[in-house]
Amino acid sequence: MQFEPDEDQRAVLDGLEQLLGALDLEAPKEGALSAFSRTLDQQLADSGFLQVAREPGFSLLEAALLVERIARTPVSAEAAASALVLPLLDPEVARPLALGNQITAPARFLPHARTMLVDNGEDVLLVEVDAGNVEPVETLFAYPYGRLRRTQDLRIRALGPTMATPLRRRWRLAIAVEGAGLMQAALDEVLEHVKTRHQFGRPIGSFQVVQHRLAMTAATASAARWLALRAAWSDDEADCAIAATYVQDAIPRLTYDLHQFCGAMGLTLEFRLHLWTYRLKALLGELGGSSAQARTAATRAWSPARQ
Amino acid sequence: MSDPDRLEVFRAQARSWLAANVPNESAPSEGQPSREFVLRWQQRQYTDGWAGLTWPKEYGGRELSAIEQIIWFEEYAAARAPSTHDASFVGVNHAGPTLIACGTEAQKAFHLPKILRGEVLWCQGFSEPGSGSDLASLRTSGRVVGEEMIVTGQKIWSSYADIADYQELLIRTDPASTRHRGLSWVICPMNAPGITVRPIRTMAGPPKFSEVFYDEVRLPLGNVVGGLNNGWRTAMSTLGFERGTASLALQIRLVYKVEELIRRCKDPALAAQLADLRAQAAALRAMTYRFALSQGRGAPGSEGSIIRLYFAELTQRVTEAAIDVYGIAAPEVLQDHGWGFEYLDGFSETIAGGTAEIQRNIIGERVLGLPRGAG
């Protein structure tokens, strides 16, 4: 078993670091509810990082490593769906990609998307998105959300119901990988705070109650990352569902703990923590939430076919 | 009329009044529209005798028992009346009660009727940038000069300070003092010269909190509540109300919200989770009612921290379950005052009025009688 990136993976990650380092990825202006960075999104697409899973010698695992790192930036870009879901489709299908369960419901990244994939329970539809047909939806969940203004006269291609299983598998993988990156970045931000914030004459990070819960949070973030990478490596139905279950299940406890130790300051938009926890909260309920993923995990992991 | 009959009549009257008077429009989230909405709703309740149910008659209350108060809040929640966690919260639920418990006759006579009649809003000025959980380290000072004190310093996390008329202000009035000694609890008019209010945007959306700056603000000594340099004691009364009984309406509302989720839930996997939440809500209801019925006129004791903590954490569990029940992109989640807002606003429940960690310390030391820790 190998737990460290190999030489090629290291080279790809170093390349991403160079790209991120060259960009000014500062937090959005105070009060902005969406932290979407068009610059980052475009640069990621132009540089080819989001197509890494299609490259010879590379796989979903490299794509997952990149998505996890991108999630740790203070801004959002449509990376997870492009890098992990789009490789299921023809190379000419355009990104950014929005994923949805209903053609009429608000979807993440739709205001910037050129394609929407809709799993409506009966079929998987590939919708070409016309920017003029998207109405932005203001939410408190950091990602840009939007909904289609009209659903008639759309350019739609039915991919067939057999696409539903792979689409959901990769969607779960995307939730898990991005969630793992967000968890780690949020934890890093809080660790800085508890070392420098003093109450009762000492850093609050010196109190055992704070240390214990942050230690648990670190274990959760680490577990999420390994489960997500394992799922990317295997691209297995059960692994992807288990990773998404774990991440979605852990989000509420983890985000409450992280905000708790930043006090009221952590609830403000002046403090950076929300840049990651807002996104975690959006992932919390996606694809039916952790209970839906858990049922899939149970069905797939312990189905007679796998015995 | 027997007691049960009397209470049923009271319940029927409350239900009927609420059915006819609960505003149809949604409460504005911030600024002057919010102030006007909140004051108008308070005035309407007062005019028809539904404000200050347990307050003394001489100050505009009805001197009813905690049972009537509970019945009113049950009907209030069922009627989906505006949340009491609005700009009237501080005045009605802990500034007013603190004045009743610790204020002078003149203070009570002047301020209490104004609060009940919906003429004024209050905010709280306890926390400072360096003094949150460690409240006793506060540094905002009041220099006593003759019959006045001159206040200089800064407060933070003052909810609705931008639209409030008065503030419960905790400051250090004995410059030689440290920690809990030498503090005073003072009524601070928010229009006093030298006060600057800066709203802070929070992740739940509207700028509910503010920073308040005091630059040589002159306040009469007659505004001190509970005695000069005796402010810690008065503040403990305020916090006793804040942690003990102030959230009674919100606790009952949460119980009703769980019922709403149960009615909406069609997912068997979530049903088990909701059943668990319903059990917790039933426990909260029992604890809340027992506590409310056992209180006298004074400030509630430390046991209030058990309910405060239980309520805060249950609020967070219920709001996160709601996201699962409705789905992240549902109108019920995304709309104004929807579950998305409730979820994000719920993060402050384990911080405001003393963090969950402080509540646990209080429970450990003052309720369970455990030895004080090193910190």
Side-chain angles (χ1 to χ4, degrees):
Chain A
M1 275 182 279
Q2 187 192 337
F3 289 96
E4 296 303 321
D6 64 23
E7 206 172 308
D8 289 341
Q9 290 165 341
R10 176 51 56 199
V12 173
L13 285 168
D14 286 348
L16 176 63
E17 286 300 338
Q18 283 184 10
L19 182 149
L20 296 177
L23 293 173
D24 179 21
L25 294 180
E26 270 314 297
K29 68 179 191 303
E30 190 194 328
L33 295 177
S34 164
F36 180 76
S37 167
R38 196 181 292 272
T39 309
L40 175 62
D41 193 86
Q42 194 60 50
Q43 293 260 341
L44 287 171
D46 295 346
S47 59
F49 282 114
L50 301 180
Q51 291 87 46
V52 70
R54 296 186 196 267
E55 299 293 329
F58 289 103
S59 68
L60 272 184
L61 181 55
E62 286 73 34
L65 287 167
L66 293 172
V67 169
E68 191 269 344
R69 174 62 189 92
I70 294 163
R72 284 191 269 132
T73 65
V75 295
S76 72
E78 194 287 278
S82 283
L84 301 170
V85 180
L86 211 52
L88 291 170
L89 307 174
D90 300 335
E92 62 268 21
V93 174
R95 70 166 300 282
L97 178 63
L99 305 173
N101 289 117
Q102 293 174 46
I103 208 160
T104 52
R108 267 196 301 143
F109 292 114
L110 193 56
H112 306 281
R114 293 176 60 198
T115 305
M116 184 182 187
L117 271 185
V118 180
D119 170 12
N120 63 13
E122 295 173 359
D123 202 344
V124 174
L125 308 176
L126 190 154
V127 183
E128 287 183 39
V129 179
D130 167 10
N133 187 31
V134 178
E135 173 187 18
V137 176
E138 190 164 283
T139 77
L140 288 168
F141 294 101
Y143 292 107
Y145 276 81
R147 70 158 65 82
L148 296 178
R149 291 180 204 276
R150 58 174 170 77
T151 53
Q152 301 83 33
D153 306 324
L154 296 174
R155 272 175 292 188
I156 296 180
R157 182 150 52 100
L159 301 179
T162 55
M163 266 305 286
T165 298
L167 168 61
R168 285 177 172 249
R169 182 177 76 240
R170 294 291 183 84
W171 191 345
R172 290 188 182 103
L173 175 63
I175 290 169
V177 173
E178 186 164 5
L182 295 169
M183 285 178 174
Q184 186 60 50
L187 172 61
D188 291 343
E189 195 74 7
V190 174
L191 291 177
E192 277 308 302
H193 177 77
V194 300
K195 287 177 197 167
T196 52
R197 165 75 175 172
H198 284 67
Q199 286 286 268
F200 302 102
R202 53 196 260 207
I204 58 173
S206 69
F207 289 97
Q208 283 195 342
V209 67
V210 177
Q211 291 179 351
H212 290 183
R213 271 161 69 190
L214 288 179
M216 292 301 297
T217 303
T220 301
S222 177
R225 181 169 185 271
W226 291 120
L227 287 171
L229 293 181
R230 154 84 195 192
W233 171 78
S234 70
D235 196 18
D236 173 80
E237 195 77 17
D239 284 348
C240 291
I242 285 169
T245 302
Y246 185 85
V247 166
Q248 288 186 320
D249 200 43
I251 286 171
R253 183 73 269 145
L254 181 135
T255 49
Y256 280 126
D257 279 355
L258 293 181
H259 276 284
Q260 185 68 18
F261 296 130
C262 300
M265 195 66 216
L267 303 178
T268 68
L269 296 183
E270 295 166 36
F271 197 78
R272 295 184 357 144
L273 182 56
H274 73 280
L275 296 172
W276 295 280
T277 56
Y278 260 164
R279 283 183 275 166
L280 281 168
K281 289 162 207 156
L283 297 184
L284 167 70
E286 204 147 279
L287 257 183
S290 66
S291 60
Q293 320 321 336
R295 282 198 301 279
T296 302
T299 310
R300 303 298 182 204
W302 296 287
S303 70
R306 287 174 62 96
Q307 303 300 314
Chain B
M1 209 181 321
S2 73
D3 213 40
D5 288 344
R6 185 177 58 78
L7 293 177
E8 276 314 304
V9 169
F10 179 83
R11 183 182 292 281
Q13 289 169 338
R15 185 173 297 176
S16 151
W17 186 85
L18 285 161
N21 289 279
V22 166
N24 292 322
E25 70 273 28
S26 158
S29 318
E30 56 187 293
Q32 281 304 315
S34 161
R35 175 186 165 88
E36 285 159 21
F37 179 92
V38 167
L39 289 177
R40 201 161 54 239
W41 174 231
Q42 180 68 25
Q43 283 158 13
R44 200 184 301 175
Q45 292 173 85
Y46 174 79
T47 303
D48 289 345
W50 296 106
L53 294 187
T54 60
W55 286 26
K57 283 183 178 167
E58 59 193 303
Y59 308 121
R62 288 179 63 185
E63 275 184 40
L64 298 174
S65 73
I67 294 184
E68 277 104 338
Q69 184 70 80
I70 287 169
I71 291 171
W72 166 250
F73 285 147
E74 285 180 344
E75 294 303 321
Y76 192 96
R80 294 168 161 271
S83 168
T84 58
H85 202 203
D86 60 15
S88 71
F89 186 82
V90 170
V92 172
N93 294 297
H94 52 83
T98 300
L99 293 179
I100 292 172
C102 309
T104 63
E105 265 318 306
Q107 289 166 345
K108 291 188 225 183
F110 182 81
H111 288 285
L112 295 175
K114 286 178 181 293
I115 293 172
L116 283 192
R117 291 198 298 254
E119 294 171 6
V120 294
L121 298 174
W122 280 63
C123 62
Q124 188 176 55
F126 280 18
S127 296
E128 297 181 7
S131 306
S133 287
D134 187 7
L135 180 61
S137 69
L138 66 85
R139 292 189 294 186
T140 296
S141 66
R143 186 161 45 91
V144 177
V145 179
E147 288 304 301
E148 284 186 326
M149 63 176 66
I150 300 173
V151 179
T152 302
Q154 179 186 355
K155 295 289 177 181
I156 196 166
W157 318 129
S158 187
S159 298
Y160 304 107
D162 56 328
I163 54 172
D165 302 278
Y166 293 97
Q167 184 177 50
E168 14 175 69
L169 179 60
L170 190 62
I171 53 177
R172 190 166 298 284
T173 39
D174 177 357
S177 68
T178 57
R179 307 295 301 166
H180 313 81
R181 288 173 289 278
L183 304 177
S184 295
W185 194 112
V186 192
I187 300 167
C188 177
M190 294 302 286
N191 62 358
I195 290 182
T196 306
V197 178
R198 186 181 79 89
I200 303 170
R201 286 198 76 83
T202 74
M203 64 179 197
K208 187 169 83 175
F209 301 133
S210 288
E211 282 181 286
V212 184
F213 301 89
Y214 310 81
D215 180 12
E216 305 267 305
V217 176
R218 305 176 88 88
L219 301 176
L221 286 185
N223 280 18
V224 173
V225 177
L228 191 67
N229 298 332
N230 194 35
W232 187 255
R233 200 183 179 87
T234 312
M236 287 304 102
S237 287
T238 307
L239 291 173
F241 288 116
E242 186 174 358
R243 293 164 182 167
T245 48
S247 294
L248 182 56
L250 299 171
Q251 287 152 3
I252 292 171
R253 179 171 174 260
L254 184 66
V255 171
Y256 280 73
K257 288 248 174 195
V258 172
E259 299 298 322
E260 175 191 323
L261 289 183
I262 289 170
R263 283 194 299 275
R264 281 297 298 254
C265 179
K266 297 182 180 72
D267 182 336
L270 288 175
Q273 187 187 349
L274 291 178
D276 189 26
L277 290 175
R278 194 182 191 287
Q280 295 174 48
L284 173 69
R285 190 175 204 164
M287 284 194 279
T288 298
Y289 286 13
R290 185 213 145 262
F291 187 74
L293 293 170
S294 66
Q295 296 304 306
R297 283 261 177 264
S302 305
E303 317 89 83
S305 286
I306 296 178
I307 299 170
R308 175 78 193 103
L309 178 65
Y310 197 92
F311 167 62
E313 297 191 340
L314 181 57
T315 298
Q316 295 175 344
R317 287 191 289 270
V318 169
T319 54
E320 83 198 26
I323 305 275
D324 273 353
V325 167
Y326 287 101
I328 193 76
E332 291 87 346
V333 172
L334 298 182
Q335 71 202 7
D336 271 0
H337 305 286
W339 281 105
F341 169 79
E342 299 259 1
Y343 174 71
L344 293 171
D345 198 48
F347 277 71
S348 66
E349 283 295 338
T350 46
I351 294 171
T355 64
E357 288 68 35
I358 294 295
Q359 307 297 350
R360 285 187 170 90
N361 283 349
I362 292 169
I363 295 165
E365 292 169 9
R366 299 189 211 156
V367 181
L368 303 181
L370 298 173
R372 281 180 67 87

